[in-house]
Amino acid sequence: MMITLTTRSRRMLAVTAGAGIAALVLSGCGGGGGGASSSPDKFGVLINAENTEIPDVLAVLADKQCSTENETLPIDFESVPQTNLDQRLQLLAGQNALPVLFSAGNAPALTKTLAESGNVLDFEKALTDLDALDNIEPAAISTIESLYGGFNALPFEYNVEGIWYNKQLFADNGVTAPETWDDLVSAAETFNAAGLTPFSASGDQGWPITRLIGNYIFRTLGPDALQKVADGDAKLTDPEYVEAAQAIADLGAAGYFGQGVGSIDADTAANQFMNGSAAMYYMGSWTLSDFADAERNQIGEENIGFMPFPSVEGGEGDSSQLAANVGLPATFNAKSYDENVGSWLSCISENYGSTALADKQRVSGFKLNTPVEDVPPLTAEVQERISATDETVLWFEALFSTKATTTSQTNAAQLVTGDISAEEFMSLVQNDL
Amino acid sequence: MKQVLGDRKSILILIGPALLVYTLVMLVPVVWSLGYTLFEGNAIIGFQFVGLDNFARMLTDARVHEALWFTIRYAIVITIGQVFFGYLLSLLYVFVLKKSSGIIRTLAFFPVVLPTVAVALMFQKMFEVAPQNGLVNEFLNLLGLESVDWFGNSGSAFLVIAIMDIWRSMGFYGVLLYAGLVDIPEDVLESARIDGASGWRLVRHIVLPLSLPVLLSSIIFSINGTLKVFDSILALTNGGPGTSTSPLTIYMFQTSFTYGEYGYGSSIALLLTLLCLVVTVFIFRSSRRDLTKG
């Protein structure tokens, strides 16, 4: 009996040990699947699918200025829809499989988390070591630091945001570029009465609507209004914050975003403006490359004007405080950084600014080391505005968590269709902060 | 053979590999996931033991309540729709079309084999209002009615989801129930007819009780599938507008993978598992009585 028990125990032990070894082998295969934690054999780039400019410009660099780096470490693109970006980054980081270069998350909070866990390169140090820190505009570094708490991303775009308007429609309807919120509402009323869509906006994406709420808050309560919310000194459910959501909800209730705003995606919203059926379009300066596309832009680039979000009478902020951001910044994986990646970083920082402007009419936070001729007038106007701006403000969700950002953007369409009230909207976001 | 199956070593050799794979790909993840319910965090920042905090949080989380309520509503409406229309189809096959039902069965079954995402995209286009009217809104305009923003309102979005999912799966239940109906002995039906039963009375007193076992299986199939719905809603409305059409599965997915809260996400998954278990046990228990007696 004793012998039988011992034999059975041994067998059980053998089976258990076998299962354990198999589990270890399998889990070993799962971790670090991409093998990116050591020296990479390719320059892997993961960019959100909506951002076509970064891959296009990088492809040009790989062909021309960075061809030597590309021979050593060939560039390899991968894209993911913006809405799935944060999720993909978290999964890849969990598997230690982040590519060499990747779009920073939708929510800056995610990039902070990735940086704290050692997944994000410290560009201050890396660029100083490469003697390339001078290639980045100090204003862009300052915006990045205020967002991420450190120089943890590269400014592949440096954008200002505001309202683009159709000059012809404004002239035809006797409307001048609004300077106050009341002027803006009155202009929208005029266009609506004329059978035009006053504002083209994507409710499917949500953020073009929440940007309006954020801007209204900055204009009424001042540039630090959302920092107070992030610090817990104020709540989005406070009446003065709800007022902002109500103002934008009122635009929706009056039908100023047109029909089916919740189903309109980013491309459709851009097309509505560029085919002349919408008078105004809130967007960042990254949209300049859309405007430069003669096939898409039927109203002509010369027919488009730019105005900052207007001041609200009696508010503590004003329209001189331009909304600015570093576009959808991308960052480098600290764990796969080596000499070859450093060469790529050096080459990108030196050449990206001029190439992006020359090829894509895109204003970035990289310095223009090669002068660019024939900049389109609208792009030049944006550049002038950027250089003339002393104070910038962030956007509504800039300081929120991933969860609050998602809640804000997925509920924006409901706010302007009247499905939820301004109080409910702010309360939903506040609960997820 | 008896000698082989009576030998423990042989049994181990025969079932060992399958058992090992099953343990690794099913049991270990399930236990692992259960373990996660007691932790908070993710693979980036690490995990912290929080005891039953995740369950306490679930009790007060309005999103869980909303998602749970949507899941239950969806499961009830879609199960009734799928099984009811599936049963009507099966009755049509057996009693009206009889032996020539092959082509109709194939056509009704066709949506089942289509990829869910393709069906969802088709319905998105059909019910579209922007940038241009879809088929449905064009039809409404033809009747002199205004276009409807079907996906802009939670009620109408739910209606489109229900229409799509019932249409998509009723062919499957039609075939499943058809298999049950053809099993009813012809002589039983014949004697009922001789006794004067026809039409609704024949269905009510003879066909329905005799096809109840397969009907019950269909309900269990359907309710378990609908409680775990994910792909069709994700592709059609992405849980919107807002979060008004988000079932527990989508909320669980977002919590775990978008917000990076694996522990809380696992707790929501456990809630869903328990819900499926309770519903299935409840249906089984309620069907224990002898089906051939009144």
PDB file of all heavy atoms in Angstrom, chain A residues 8 19 87 90-91 94 113 117 259-260 264 268 402-403 410-411 414 419, chain B residues 8 43-45 57 129 131 149 153-154 241-242 253 257-260 262:
ATOM      1  N   ARG A   8       2.045   6.515  -6.895  1.00  0.00           N
ATOM      2  CA  ARG A   8       1.027   7.436  -7.392  1.00  0.00           C
ATOM      3  C   ARG A   8       1.464   8.891  -7.167  1.00  0.00           C
ATOM      4  O   ARG A   8       1.284   9.752  -8.028  1.00  0.00           O
ATOM      5  CB  ARG A   8      -0.285   7.153  -6.666  1.00  0.00           C
ATOM      6  CG  ARG A   8      -1.477   7.801  -7.359  1.00  0.00           C
ATOM      7  CD  ARG A   8      -2.768   7.517  -6.648  1.00  0.00           C
ATOM      8  NE  ARG A   8      -3.156   6.127  -6.744  1.00  0.00           N
ATOM      9  CZ  ARG A   8      -4.132   5.602  -6.014  1.00  0.00           C
ATOM     10  NH1 ARG A   8      -4.785   6.322  -5.124  1.00  0.00           N
ATOM     11  NH2 ARG A   8      -4.460   4.339  -6.135  1.00  0.00           N
ATOM     12  N   ALA A  19       3.190  19.820 -16.298  1.00  0.00           N
ATOM     13  CA  ALA A  19       2.256  20.928 -16.576  1.00  0.00           C
ATOM     14  C   ALA A  19       2.904  22.253 -16.238  1.00  0.00           C
ATOM     15  O   ALA A  19       2.773  23.242 -16.971  1.00  0.00           O
ATOM     16  CB  ALA A  19       0.974  20.739 -15.773  1.00  0.00           C
ATOM     17  N   GLN A  87      -5.475  51.234 -25.761  1.00  0.00           N
ATOM     18  CA  GLN A  87      -5.594  49.814 -25.438  1.00  0.00           C
ATOM     19  C   GLN A  87      -4.411  49.026 -26.003  1.00  0.00           C
ATOM     20  O   GLN A  87      -3.795  48.219 -25.305  1.00  0.00           O
ATOM     21  CB  GLN A  87      -6.911  49.338 -26.029  1.00  0.00           C
ATOM     22  CG  GLN A  87      -7.112  47.874 -26.060  1.00  0.00           C
ATOM     23  CD  GLN A  87      -8.107  47.536 -27.151  1.00  0.00           C
ATOM     24  OE1 GLN A  87      -8.953  48.340 -27.500  1.00  0.00           O
ATOM     25  NE2 GLN A  87      -8.004  46.366 -27.682  1.00  0.00           N
ATOM     26  N   GLN A  90      -1.182  49.735 -24.068  1.00  0.00           N
ATOM     27  CA  GLN A  90      -1.122  49.082 -22.759  1.00  0.00           C
ATOM     28  C   GLN A  90      -0.806  47.602 -22.899  1.00  0.00           C
ATOM     29  O   GLN A  90      -0.017  47.052 -22.129  1.00  0.00           O
ATOM     30  CB  GLN A  90      -2.448  49.270 -22.021  1.00  0.00           C
ATOM     31  CG  GLN A  90      -2.670  50.711 -21.631  1.00  0.00           C
ATOM     32  CD  GLN A  90      -3.912  50.902 -20.794  1.00  0.00           C
ATOM     33  OE1 GLN A  90      -4.071  50.285 -19.770  1.00  0.00           O
ATOM     34  NE2 GLN A  90      -4.779  51.773 -21.231  1.00  0.00           N
ATOM     35  N   LEU A  91      -1.448  46.970 -23.900  1.00  0.00           N
ATOM     36  CA  LEU A  91      -1.191  45.540 -24.092  1.00  0.00           C
ATOM     37  C   LEU A  91       0.263  45.290 -24.510  1.00  0.00           C
ATOM     38  O   LEU A  91       0.915  44.404 -23.981  1.00  0.00           O
ATOM     39  CB  LEU A  91      -2.143  44.971 -25.152  1.00  0.00           C
ATOM     40  CG  LEU A  91      -3.579  44.768 -24.697  1.00  0.00           C
ATOM     41  CD1 LEU A  91      -4.452  44.316 -25.852  1.00  0.00           C
ATOM     42  CD2 LEU A  91      -3.650  43.721 -23.579  1.00  0.00           C
ATOM     43  N   GLY A  94       2.560  45.814 -21.648  1.00  0.00           N
ATOM     44  CA  GLY A  94       2.455  44.682 -20.723  1.00  0.00           C
ATOM     45  C   GLY A  94       3.249  43.492 -21.191  1.00  0.00           C
ATOM     46  O   GLY A  94       3.749  42.702 -20.390  1.00  0.00           O
ATOM     47  N   THR A 113       2.182  57.204 -17.328  1.00  0.00           N
ATOM     48  CA  THR A 113       2.310  55.864 -16.741  1.00  0.00           C
ATOM     49  C   THR A 113       3.404  55.073 -17.440  1.00  0.00           C
ATOM     50  O   THR A 113       4.217  54.407 -16.795  1.00  0.00           O
ATOM     51  CB  THR A 113       0.967  55.095 -16.869  1.00  0.00           C
ATOM     52  OG1 THR A 113      -0.054  55.935 -16.372  1.00  0.00           O
ATOM     53  CG2 THR A 113       0.982  53.801 -16.106  1.00  0.00           C
ATOM     54  N   SER A 117       7.011  53.668 -15.897  1.00  0.00           N
ATOM     55  CA  SER A 117       7.406  52.255 -15.885  1.00  0.00           C
ATOM     56  C   SER A 117       8.617  51.998 -16.786  1.00  0.00           C
ATOM     57  O   SER A 117       8.933  50.853 -17.105  1.00  0.00           O
ATOM     58  CB  SER A 117       6.227  51.385 -16.314  1.00  0.00           C
ATOM     59  OG  SER A 117       5.775  51.790 -17.578  1.00  0.00           O
ATOM     60  N   GLN A 259     -27.687  67.661 -39.272  1.00  0.00           N
ATOM     61  CA  GLN A 259     -28.372  66.403 -38.965  1.00  0.00           C
ATOM     62  C   GLN A 259     -27.383  65.253 -38.735  1.00  0.00           C
ATOM     63  O   GLN A 259     -26.352  65.195 -39.400  1.00  0.00           O
ATOM     64  CB  GLN A 259     -29.275  66.057 -40.148  1.00  0.00           C
ATOM     65  CG  GLN A 259     -30.444  65.206 -39.772  1.00  0.00           C
ATOM     66  CD  GLN A 259     -31.387  65.010 -40.962  1.00  0.00           C
ATOM     67  OE1 GLN A 259     -30.966  65.071 -42.112  1.00  0.00           O
ATOM     68  NE2 GLN A 259     -32.640  64.762 -40.668  1.00  0.00           N
ATOM     69  N   GLY A 260     -27.738  64.381 -37.780  1.00  0.00           N
ATOM     70  CA  GLY A 260     -26.947  63.161 -37.565  1.00  0.00           C
ATOM     71  C   GLY A 260     -25.518  63.410 -37.145  1.00  0.00           C
ATOM     72  O   GLY A 260     -24.611  62.675 -37.542  1.00  0.00           O
ATOM     73  N   ILE A 264     -21.427  61.427 -37.792  1.00  0.00           N
ATOM     74  CA  ILE A 264     -20.460  62.047 -38.711  1.00  0.00           C
ATOM     75  C   ILE A 264     -19.034  61.757 -38.239  1.00  0.00           C
ATOM     76  O   ILE A 264     -18.669  62.066 -37.109  1.00  0.00           O
ATOM     77  CB  ILE A 264     -20.718  63.564 -38.807  1.00  0.00           C
ATOM     78  CG1 ILE A 264     -22.052  63.787 -39.515  1.00  0.00           C
ATOM     79  CG2 ILE A 264     -19.591  64.272 -39.543  1.00  0.00           C
ATOM     80  CD1 ILE A 264     -22.464  65.212 -39.645  1.00  0.00           C
ATOM     81  N   THR A 268     -15.900  62.960 -42.938  1.00  0.00           N
ATOM     82  CA  THR A 268     -17.149  63.574 -43.399  1.00  0.00           C
ATOM     83  C   THR A 268     -17.233  65.018 -42.931  1.00  0.00           C
ATOM     84  O   THR A 268     -17.649  65.901 -43.678  1.00  0.00           O
ATOM     85  CB  THR A 268     -18.357  62.769 -42.871  1.00  0.00           C
ATOM     86  OG1 THR A 268     -18.182  61.417 -43.254  1.00  0.00           O
ATOM     87  CG2 THR A 268     -19.661  63.303 -43.416  1.00  0.00           C
ATOM     88  N   THR A 402      -7.492  58.393 -18.755  1.00  0.00           N
ATOM     89  CA  THR A 402      -7.983  57.732 -19.975  1.00  0.00           C
ATOM     90  C   THR A 402      -9.486  57.506 -19.895  1.00  0.00           C
ATOM     91  O   THR A 402     -10.218  57.709 -20.850  1.00  0.00           O
ATOM     92  CB  THR A 402      -7.287  56.363 -20.139  1.00  0.00           C
ATOM     93  OG1 THR A 402      -5.883  56.566 -20.106  1.00  0.00           O
ATOM     94  CG2 THR A 402      -7.663  55.698 -21.435  1.00  0.00           C
ATOM     95  N   LYS A 403      -9.941  57.105 -18.708  1.00  0.00           N
ATOM     96  CA  LYS A 403     -11.356  56.776 -18.550  1.00  0.00           C
ATOM     97  C   LYS A 403     -12.224  58.022 -18.738  1.00  0.00           C
ATOM     98  O   LYS A 403     -13.236  57.989 -19.450  1.00  0.00           O
ATOM     99  CB  LYS A 403     -11.573  56.172 -17.154  1.00  0.00           C
ATOM    100  CG  LYS A 403     -12.945  55.577 -16.977  1.00  0.00           C
ATOM    101  CD  LYS A 403     -13.044  54.880 -15.648  1.00  0.00           C
ATOM    102  CE  LYS A 403     -14.382  54.175 -15.526  1.00  0.00           C
ATOM    103  NZ  LYS A 403     -14.551  53.548 -14.214  1.00  0.00           N
ATOM    104  N   THR A 410     -17.109  59.996 -25.792  1.00  0.00           N
ATOM    105  CA  THR A 410     -18.208  59.145 -26.270  1.00  0.00           C
ATOM    106  C   THR A 410     -19.575  59.746 -25.957  1.00  0.00           C
ATOM    107  O   THR A 410     -20.562  59.353 -26.563  1.00  0.00           O
ATOM    108  CB  THR A 410     -18.152  57.723 -25.670  1.00  0.00           C
ATOM    109  OG1 THR A 410     -18.000  57.820 -24.266  1.00  0.00           O
ATOM    110  CG2 THR A 410     -17.016  56.904 -26.218  1.00  0.00           C
ATOM    111  N   ASN A 411     -19.619  60.672 -25.017  1.00  0.00           N
ATOM    112  CA  ASN A 411     -20.921  61.261 -24.665  1.00  0.00           C
ATOM    113  C   ASN A 411     -21.158  62.629 -25.303  1.00  0.00           C
ATOM    114  O   ASN A 411     -22.239  63.198 -25.138  1.00  0.00           O
ATOM    115  CB  ASN A 411     -21.064  61.371 -23.153  1.00  0.00           C
ATOM    116  CG  ASN A 411     -21.331  60.015 -22.523  1.00  0.00           C
ATOM    117  OD1 ASN A 411     -22.440  59.489 -22.628  1.00  0.00           O
ATOM    118  ND2 ASN A 411     -20.327  59.418 -21.916  1.00  0.00           N
ATOM    119  N   GLN A 414     -24.165  62.958 -27.616  1.00  0.00           N
ATOM    120  CA  GLN A 414     -25.451  62.942 -26.900  1.00  0.00           C
ATOM    121  C   GLN A 414     -25.772  64.313 -26.310  1.00  0.00           C
ATOM    122  O   GLN A 414     -26.933  64.684 -26.190  1.00  0.00           O
ATOM    123  CB  GLN A 414     -25.389  61.933 -25.763  1.00  0.00           C
ATOM    124  CG  GLN A 414     -25.355  60.507 -26.218  1.00  0.00           C
ATOM    125  CD  GLN A 414     -25.906  59.616 -25.149  1.00  0.00           C
ATOM    126  OE1 GLN A 414     -27.013  59.113 -25.254  1.00  0.00           O
ATOM    127  NE2 GLN A 414     -25.153  59.439 -24.092  1.00  0.00           N
ATOM    128  N   ASP A 419     -29.739  64.257 -25.917  1.00  0.00           N
ATOM    129  CA  ASP A 419     -30.039  62.981 -25.267  1.00  0.00           C
ATOM    130  C   ASP A 419     -29.661  63.002 -23.790  1.00  0.00           C
ATOM    131  O   ASP A 419     -30.256  62.283 -22.989  1.00  0.00           O
ATOM    132  CB  ASP A 419     -29.289  61.855 -25.988  1.00  0.00           C
ATOM    133  CG  ASP A 419     -30.222  60.734 -26.404  1.00  0.00           C
ATOM    134  OD1 ASP A 419     -31.408  61.026 -26.611  1.00  0.00           O
ATOM    135  OD2 ASP A 419     -29.753  59.597 -26.521  1.00  0.00           O
TER     136      ASP A 419
ATOM    137  N   ARG B   8      -4.801   2.289 -15.861  1.00  0.00           N
ATOM    138  CA  ARG B   8      -4.686   3.724 -15.544  1.00  0.00           C
ATOM    139  C   ARG B   8      -3.638   4.422 -16.426  1.00  0.00           C
ATOM    140  O   ARG B   8      -3.821   5.562 -16.831  1.00  0.00           O
ATOM    141  CB  ARG B   8      -4.318   3.900 -14.085  1.00  0.00           C
ATOM    142  CG  ARG B   8      -5.530   3.690 -13.202  1.00  0.00           C
ATOM    143  CD  ARG B   8      -5.176   3.908 -11.776  1.00  0.00           C
ATOM    144  NE  ARG B   8      -6.356   3.663 -10.951  1.00  0.00           N
ATOM    145  CZ  ARG B   8      -6.315   3.417  -9.666  1.00  0.00           C
ATOM    146  NH1 ARG B   8      -5.155   3.364  -9.055  1.00  0.00           N
ATOM    147  NH2 ARG B   8      -7.413   3.217  -8.985  1.00  0.00           N
ATOM    148  N   ALA B  43      -0.570  45.434 -16.289  1.00  0.00           N
ATOM    149  CA  ALA B  43       0.768  44.903 -16.546  1.00  0.00           C
ATOM    150  C   ALA B  43       1.835  45.991 -16.561  1.00  0.00           C
ATOM    151  O   ALA B  43       3.015  45.705 -16.413  1.00  0.00           O
ATOM    152  CB  ALA B  43       0.765  44.159 -17.877  1.00  0.00           C
ATOM    153  N   ILE B  44       1.439  47.254 -16.749  1.00  0.00           N
ATOM    154  CA  ILE B  44       2.444  48.319 -16.807  1.00  0.00           C
ATOM    155  C   ILE B  44       2.850  48.746 -15.402  1.00  0.00           C
ATOM    156  O   ILE B  44       4.020  48.857 -15.083  1.00  0.00           O
ATOM    157  CB  ILE B  44       1.917  49.546 -17.582  1.00  0.00           C
ATOM    158  CG1 ILE B  44       1.370  49.130 -18.948  1.00  0.00           C
ATOM    159  CG2 ILE B  44       2.999  50.599 -17.749  1.00  0.00           C
ATOM    160  CD1 ILE B  44       0.696  50.257 -19.699  1.00  0.00           C
ATOM    161  N   ILE B  45       1.827  48.992 -14.557  1.00  0.00           N
ATOM    162  CA  ILE B  45       2.157  49.533 -13.231  1.00  0.00           C
ATOM    163  C   ILE B  45       2.247  48.452 -12.150  1.00  0.00           C
ATOM    164  O   ILE B  45       2.603  48.733 -11.018  1.00  0.00           O
ATOM    165  CB  ILE B  45       1.147  50.620 -12.794  1.00  0.00           C
ATOM    166  CG1 ILE B  45      -0.283  50.054 -12.750  1.00  0.00           C
ATOM    167  CG2 ILE B  45       1.211  51.827 -13.696  1.00  0.00           C
ATOM    168  CD1 ILE B  45      -1.265  50.960 -12.048  1.00  0.00           C
ATOM    169  N   ARG B  57     -16.926  47.996  -5.252  1.00  0.00           N
ATOM    170  CA  ARG B  57     -17.017  49.072  -6.233  1.00  0.00           C
ATOM    171  C   ARG B  57     -18.128  48.805  -7.249  1.00  0.00           C
ATOM    172  O   ARG B  57     -18.839  49.714  -7.680  1.00  0.00           O
ATOM    173  CB  ARG B  57     -15.664  49.201  -6.938  1.00  0.00           C
ATOM    174  CG  ARG B  57     -15.596  50.317  -7.935  1.00  0.00           C
ATOM    175  CD  ARG B  57     -14.204  50.384  -8.539  1.00  0.00           C
ATOM    176  NE  ARG B  57     -14.236  51.076  -9.804  1.00  0.00           N
ATOM    177  CZ  ARG B  57     -13.234  51.104 -10.663  1.00  0.00           C
ATOM    178  NH1 ARG B  57     -12.106  50.489 -10.371  1.00  0.00           N
ATOM    179  NH2 ARG B  57     -13.326  51.739 -11.799  1.00  0.00           N
ATOM    180  N   VAL B 129     -28.073  58.413 -41.554  1.00  0.00           N
ATOM    181  CA  VAL B 129     -28.709  59.709 -41.833  1.00  0.00           C
ATOM    182  C   VAL B 129     -27.662  60.704 -42.325  1.00  0.00           C
ATOM    183  O   VAL B 129     -27.982  61.636 -43.067  1.00  0.00           O
ATOM    184  CB  VAL B 129     -29.471  60.233 -40.589  1.00  0.00           C
ATOM    185  CG1 VAL B 129     -28.512  60.596 -39.476  1.00  0.00           C
ATOM    186  CG2 VAL B 129     -30.343  61.439 -40.928  1.00  0.00           C
ATOM    187  N   PRO B 131     -23.375  60.967 -43.745  1.00  0.00           N
ATOM    188  CA  PRO B 131     -23.524  62.163 -44.590  1.00  0.00           C
ATOM    189  C   PRO B 131     -24.675  62.086 -45.587  1.00  0.00           C
ATOM    190  O   PRO B 131     -25.047  63.106 -46.145  1.00  0.00           O
ATOM    191  CB  PRO B 131     -22.178  62.232 -45.317  1.00  0.00           C
ATOM    192  CG  PRO B 131     -21.678  60.831 -45.333  1.00  0.00           C
ATOM    193  CD  PRO B 131     -22.175  60.185 -44.086  1.00  0.00           C
ATOM    194  N   ASP B 149     -32.534  60.069 -37.027  1.00  0.00           N
ATOM    195  CA  ASP B 149     -31.138  59.792 -36.656  1.00  0.00           C
ATOM    196  C   ASP B 149     -31.155  58.540 -35.777  1.00  0.00           C
ATOM    197  O   ASP B 149     -31.141  58.613 -34.554  1.00  0.00           O
ATOM    198  CB  ASP B 149     -30.558  60.993 -35.897  1.00  0.00           C
ATOM    199  CG  ASP B 149     -29.089  60.801 -35.556  1.00  0.00           C
ATOM    200  OD1 ASP B 149     -28.510  59.793 -35.991  1.00  0.00           O
ATOM    201  OD2 ASP B 149     -28.530  61.657 -34.847  1.00  0.00           O
ATOM    202  N   ASN B 153     -30.044  58.242 -30.847  1.00  0.00           N
ATOM    203  CA  ASN B 153     -30.909  58.135 -29.670  1.00  0.00           C
ATOM    204  C   ASN B 153     -30.864  56.704 -29.163  1.00  0.00           C
ATOM    205  O   ASN B 153     -30.874  55.763 -29.957  1.00  0.00           O
ATOM    206  CB  ASN B 153     -32.322  58.542 -30.133  1.00  0.00           C
ATOM    207  CG  ASN B 153     -33.373  58.287 -29.095  1.00  0.00           C
ATOM    208  OD1 ASN B 153     -33.815  57.151 -28.918  1.00  0.00           O
ATOM    209  ND2 ASN B 153     -33.759  59.330 -28.421  1.00  0.00           N
ATOM    210  N   SER B 154     -30.809  56.556 -27.843  1.00  0.00           N
ATOM    211  CA  SER B 154     -30.615  55.209 -27.294  1.00  0.00           C
ATOM    212  C   SER B 154     -31.758  54.257 -27.662  1.00  0.00           C
ATOM    213  O   SER B 154     -31.517  53.085 -27.955  1.00  0.00           O
ATOM    214  CB  SER B 154     -30.454  55.288 -25.785  1.00  0.00           C
ATOM    215  OG  SER B 154     -31.478  56.049 -25.219  1.00  0.00           O
ATOM    216  N   PRO B 241     -25.416  55.548 -28.600  1.00  0.00           N
ATOM    217  CA  PRO B 241     -24.800  56.843 -28.265  1.00  0.00           C
ATOM    218  C   PRO B 241     -24.405  56.916 -26.785  1.00  0.00           C
ATOM    219  O   PRO B 241     -25.141  56.402 -25.946  1.00  0.00           O
ATOM    220  CB  PRO B 241     -25.908  57.850 -28.577  1.00  0.00           C
ATOM    221  CG  PRO B 241     -27.182  57.068 -28.481  1.00  0.00           C
ATOM    222  CD  PRO B 241     -26.848  55.684 -28.922  1.00  0.00           C
ATOM    223  N   GLY B 242     -23.278  57.537 -26.527  1.00  0.00           N
ATOM    224  CA  GLY B 242     -22.750  57.541 -25.157  1.00  0.00           C
ATOM    225  C   GLY B 242     -22.407  56.125 -24.775  1.00  0.00           C
ATOM    226  O   GLY B 242     -21.655  55.460 -25.472  1.00  0.00           O
ATOM    227  N   PHE B 253     -14.606  44.903 -21.420  1.00  0.00           N
ATOM    228  CA  PHE B 253     -13.503  45.059 -22.375  1.00  0.00           C
ATOM    229  C   PHE B 253     -12.834  46.427 -22.205  1.00  0.00           C
ATOM    230  O   PHE B 253     -11.609  46.536 -22.129  1.00  0.00           O
ATOM    231  CB  PHE B 253     -14.065  44.895 -23.790  1.00  0.00           C
ATOM    232  CG  PHE B 253     -13.065  45.131 -24.883  1.00  0.00           C
ATOM    233  CD1 PHE B 253     -12.142  44.158 -25.211  1.00  0.00           C
ATOM    234  CD2 PHE B 253     -13.053  46.331 -25.584  1.00  0.00           C
ATOM    235  CE1 PHE B 253     -11.220  44.375 -26.220  1.00  0.00           C
ATOM    236  CE2 PHE B 253     -12.139  46.556 -26.591  1.00  0.00           C
ATOM    237  CZ  PHE B 253     -11.223  45.571 -26.913  1.00  0.00           C
ATOM    238  N   PHE B 257      -9.075  46.649 -20.977  1.00  0.00           N
ATOM    239  CA  PHE B 257      -8.070  46.927 -22.009  1.00  0.00           C
ATOM    240  C   PHE B 257      -7.897  48.399 -22.372  1.00  0.00           C
ATOM    241  O   PHE B 257      -6.854  48.780 -22.873  1.00  0.00           O
ATOM    242  CB  PHE B 257      -8.371  46.092 -23.258  1.00  0.00           C
ATOM    243  CG  PHE B 257      -8.411  44.625 -22.958  1.00  0.00           C
ATOM    244  CD1 PHE B 257      -9.585  43.909 -23.050  1.00  0.00           C
ATOM    245  CD2 PHE B 257      -7.268  43.975 -22.540  1.00  0.00           C
ATOM    246  CE1 PHE B 257      -9.626  42.556 -22.747  1.00  0.00           C
ATOM    247  CE2 PHE B 257      -7.295  42.623 -22.232  1.00  0.00           C
ATOM    248  CZ  PHE B 257      -8.484  41.914 -22.331  1.00  0.00           C
ATOM    249  N   THR B 258      -8.943  49.210 -22.181  1.00  0.00           N
ATOM    250  CA  THR B 258      -8.773  50.630 -22.505  1.00  0.00           C
ATOM    251  C   THR B 258      -8.328  51.401 -21.273  1.00  0.00           C
ATOM    252  O   THR B 258      -7.438  52.235 -21.334  1.00  0.00           O
ATOM    253  CB  THR B 258     -10.083  51.225 -23.056  1.00  0.00           C
ATOM    254  OG1 THR B 258     -10.525  50.418 -24.139  1.00  0.00           O
ATOM    255  CG2 THR B 258      -9.875  52.642 -23.568  1.00  0.00           C
ATOM    256  N   TYR B 259      -8.984  51.112 -20.134  1.00  0.00           N
ATOM    257  CA  TYR B 259      -8.620  51.841 -18.916  1.00  0.00           C
ATOM    258  C   TYR B 259      -7.485  51.144 -18.161  1.00  0.00           C
ATOM    259  O   TYR B 259      -6.967  51.688 -17.182  1.00  0.00           O
ATOM    260  CB  TYR B 259      -9.825  51.993 -17.982  1.00  0.00           C
ATOM    261  CG  TYR B 259     -11.082  52.494 -18.651  1.00  0.00           C
ATOM    262  CD1 TYR B 259     -12.339  52.117 -18.203  1.00  0.00           C
ATOM    263  CD2 TYR B 259     -11.013  53.357 -19.740  1.00  0.00           C
ATOM    264  CE1 TYR B 259     -13.495  52.582 -18.813  1.00  0.00           C
ATOM    265  CE2 TYR B 259     -12.157  53.810 -20.363  1.00  0.00           C
ATOM    266  CZ  TYR B 259     -13.403  53.419 -19.898  1.00  0.00           C
ATOM    267  OH  TYR B 259     -14.535  53.862 -20.514  1.00  0.00           O
ATOM    268  N   GLY B 260      -7.147  49.917 -18.563  1.00  0.00           N
ATOM    269  CA  GLY B 260      -6.053  49.200 -17.916  1.00  0.00           C
ATOM    270  C   GLY B 260      -6.359  48.773 -16.490  1.00  0.00           C
ATOM    271  O   GLY B 260      -5.465  48.667 -15.660  1.00  0.00           O
ATOM    272  N   TYR B 262      -7.382  45.726 -14.967  1.00  0.00           N
ATOM    273  CA  TYR B 262      -7.622  44.301 -15.196  1.00  0.00           C
ATOM    274  C   TYR B 262      -8.409  43.646 -14.060  1.00  0.00           C
ATOM    275  O   TYR B 262      -9.241  42.775 -14.282  1.00  0.00           O
ATOM    276  CB  TYR B 262      -6.303  43.568 -15.414  1.00  0.00           C
ATOM    277  CG  TYR B 262      -5.686  43.875 -16.743  1.00  0.00           C
ATOM    278  CD1 TYR B 262      -4.879  44.988 -16.909  1.00  0.00           C
ATOM    279  CD2 TYR B 262      -5.935  43.075 -17.851  1.00  0.00           C
ATOM    280  CE1 TYR B 262      -4.325  45.296 -18.138  1.00  0.00           C
ATOM    281  CE2 TYR B 262      -5.384  43.374 -19.084  1.00  0.00           C
ATOM    282  CZ  TYR B 262      -4.580  44.485 -19.221  1.00  0.00           C
ATOM    283  OH  TYR B 262      -4.046  44.795 -20.439  1.00  0.00           O
TER     284      TYR B 262
END
